[in-house]
Amino acid sequence: MLYSIVLKLKNNLEEINSYQIYSSFLKELDRYFKEKSEKYHQKNQKKPFTISPIYTINSQAFLRFTFLTDEIFNIGFYIFSNINHFKIKDQKLLIESILIKKSKSYPNLLNKMIDNLDPDKKELVKNKKIIINFQTPTLFRKGSQYTNYFEKEAFDGSFKKKQKEIFSQEIWFLPKYKILNINTTTKKYDLPPFNKYYGFVGQVVILLEDGDLNYFKAISFFGTGIKTTMGMGQVLVDF
């Protein structure tokens, strides 16, 4: 099962970035699951989770986590149930509650961020219009080359690669689809201690001519492009 949950925050610290939240999460993983933590620290190995930047919706701060395996979901949920903050340097990012179910009282964007998906289920459709929302700067990398605009080959290849890194196989296979419209812009993403990255945000509208709708739903859990554990490549889809 794939999981997307949201932490409702009590505060929003200035000048913190998703790398710092990522590091804090790994420290909590070390604290509570030392025997399992080593594999989640290995460099050059795809992590089975993503972490968003802090979203502000109606003046309220939220943080989205997606988990791609049952193990890391159980680990993450246990950690969130046992801590009330992430420690970042000498500050505390306070957690108010864990949101795991949609609610009519939540803003639309927040409900989009709360979801789960069964990899064994398919939703076969034809001629279905889909809007892919690139919420945070997205950047593709192939070797030493970077692509900071939407390119179908890079987008498709990113998802295929991520599946093989996590599951050692493809679970969702590329369906037949075509691009209807691209409306994106380039945006800077500061990620100390790494670099300033320039990726694209915006919308891409496609027509799923024939195939599994869950292919695109799954991408919203995996994210796309590089640094998805640190806030880049956050994707939400509308149907």
Side-chain angles (χ1 to χ4, degrees):
M1 188 74 77
L2 308 185
Y3 306 88
S4 179
I5 68 175
V6 172
L7 301 182
K8 184 178 181 181
L9 304 175
K10 290 184 178 180
N11 62 337
N12 188 353
L13 301 178
E14 297 295 329
E15 298 182 358
I16 70 165
N17 61 61
S18 294
Y19 170 73
Q20 293 168 320
I21 299 171
Y22 163 81
S23 297
S24 182
F25 176 66
L26 289 185
K27 288 177 183 177
E28 297 298 339
L29 199 158
D30 290 342
R31 181 156 71 106
Y32 287 100
F33 295 91
K34 187 64 177 178
E35 73 285 358
K36 295 181 179 181
S37 66
E38 183 178 349
K39 66 181 178 181
Y40 295 107
H41 283 278
Q42 292 178 2
K43 293 183 178 180
N44 302 317
Q45 182 170 326
K46 175 63 183 174
K47 308 296 189 297
F49 59 88
T50 76
I51 304 174
S52 75
I54 294 175
Y55 288 99
T56 301
I57 306 173
N58 297 340
S59 301
Q60 172 65 55
F62 299 96
L63 188 61
R64 180 193 186 212
F65 281 75
T66 69
F67 298 109
L68 308 179
T69 66
D70 288 334
E71 179 184 87
I72 191 61
F73 168 73
N74 290 330
I75 287 172
F77 193 80
Y78 181 88
I79 289 171
F80 301 151
S81 299
N82 283 275
I83 65 174
N84 59 16
H85 69 274
F86 291 110
K87 187 174 181 180
I88 299 174
K89 294 185 177 180
D90 58 347
Q91 301 184 85
K92 292 182 179 180
L93 185 63
L94 302 174
I95 300 169
E96 180 175 325
S97 59
I98 309 168
L99 308 181
I100 60 173
K101 292 184 178 180
K102 300 177 187 292
S103 171
K104 292 181 179 180
S105 66
Y106 295 162
N108 185 46
L109 177 58
L110 182 57
N111 273 324
K112 288 180 184 179
M113 293 192 290
I114 303 169
D115 209 352
N116 57 64
L117 181 66
D118 185 345
D120 294 327
K121 293 185 178 180
K122 296 184 182 297
E123 190 173 345
L124 301 178
V125 298
K126 290 186 177 181
N127 298 320
K128 181 74 172 179
K129 182 179 172 182
I130 301 171
I131 301 173
I132 306 171
N133 300 284
F134 296 88
Q135 299 290 119
T136 60
T138 300
L139 183 63
F140 300 113
R141 179 174 60 205
K142 186 175 183 179
S144 60
Q145 301 297 312
Y146 290 85
T147 302
N148 65 353
Y149 53 88
F150 180 84
E151 181 185 76
K152 186 177 184 298
E153 181 181 354
F155 178 66
D156 296 341
S158 174
F159 186 40
K160 182 177 181 178
K161 180 182 178 183
K162 289 178 187 296
Q163 290 188 72
K164 289 186 174 181
E165 288 172 336
I166 300 298
F167 301 117
S168 301
Q169 63 177 331
E170 284 184 81
I171 295 177
W172 297 272
F173 293 93
L174 179 65
K176 184 180 180 182
Y177 76 94
K178 65 181 179 181
I179 309 298
L180 298 181
N181 185 58
I182 298 174
N183 183 17
T184 61
T185 186
T186 303
K187 185 176 180 180
K188 183 175 72 171
Y189 191 78
D190 290 324
L191 197 59
F194 299 97
N195 299 305
K196 293 180 179 179
Y197 294 96
Y198 289 85
F200 68 91
V201 295
Q203 290 186 341
V204 174
V205 183
I206 67 168
L207 181 68
L208 176 52
E209 297 176 287
D210 189 10
D212 185 5
L213 187 62
N214 286 346
Y215 177 92
F216 294 99
K217 289 183 180 180
I219 292 175
S220 71
F221 293 84
F222 280 77
T224 188
I226 68 169
K227 304 295 183 187
T228 53
T229 55
M230 304 177 194
M232 296 187 72
Q234 289 272 310
V235 173
L236 295 172
V237 292
D238 290 315
F239 307 103

